[in-house]
Amino acid sequence: MAIILNSNERDEIEINAHSLKSSCYSFGAIALGDTCKYIEELIKTEHSKKDLHNLLEIVEVQSKQTFNEMAFIIASNQDCSQS
């Protein structure tokens, strides 16, 4: 995530957004995957830095939410297996 946020290279952003998108879809983080897809599409067209920055901020929020939800699910499963 930090790589995408801190990069100014279009190719690097596109590659990392694509990789993150694929990973998100594979474990069910659809909204985050969709946002990464929008970034990929935006990079391929004329766009403003503001548009890209806005999507990157959304990815930041969504990734934090996703990891928090995953941590909760993992903790809940561990609690259930210990009962």
Side-chain angles (χ1 to χ4, degrees):
M1 187 66 250
I3 293 170
I4 294 174
L5 287 171
N6 295 320
S7 178
N8 290 321
E9 296 294 324
R10 292 170 64 126
D11 290 341
E12 186 176 0
I13 293 170
E14 184 179 355
I15 290 167
N16 285 294
H18 178 79
S19 297
L20 183 57
K21 175 190 74 178
S22 299
S23 296
C24 291
Y25 285 151
S26 73
F27 68 84
I30 305 303
L32 180 54
D34 286 347
T35 305
C36 290
K37 179 178 139 187
Y38 300 143
I39 291 171
E40 277 187 288
E41 292 169 356
L42 185 71
I43 289 293
K44 294 175 184 176
T45 64
E46 284 295 317
H47 64 278
S48 70
K49 287 188 175 194
K50 182 179 178 185
D51 290 339
L52 179 59
H53 182 75
N54 289 342
L55 283 175
L56 293 174
E57 285 183 347
I58 291 169
V59 165
E60 179 74 13
V61 170
Q62 288 176 328
S63 64
K64 287 178 183 178
Q65 291 171 336
T66 299
F67 290 122
N68 287 337
E69 290 172 15
M70 298 273 306
F72 176 77
I73 290 168
I74 292 167
S76 295
N77 286 334
Q78 288 174 343
D79 291 343
C80 290
S81 67
Q82 294 174 1
S83 298

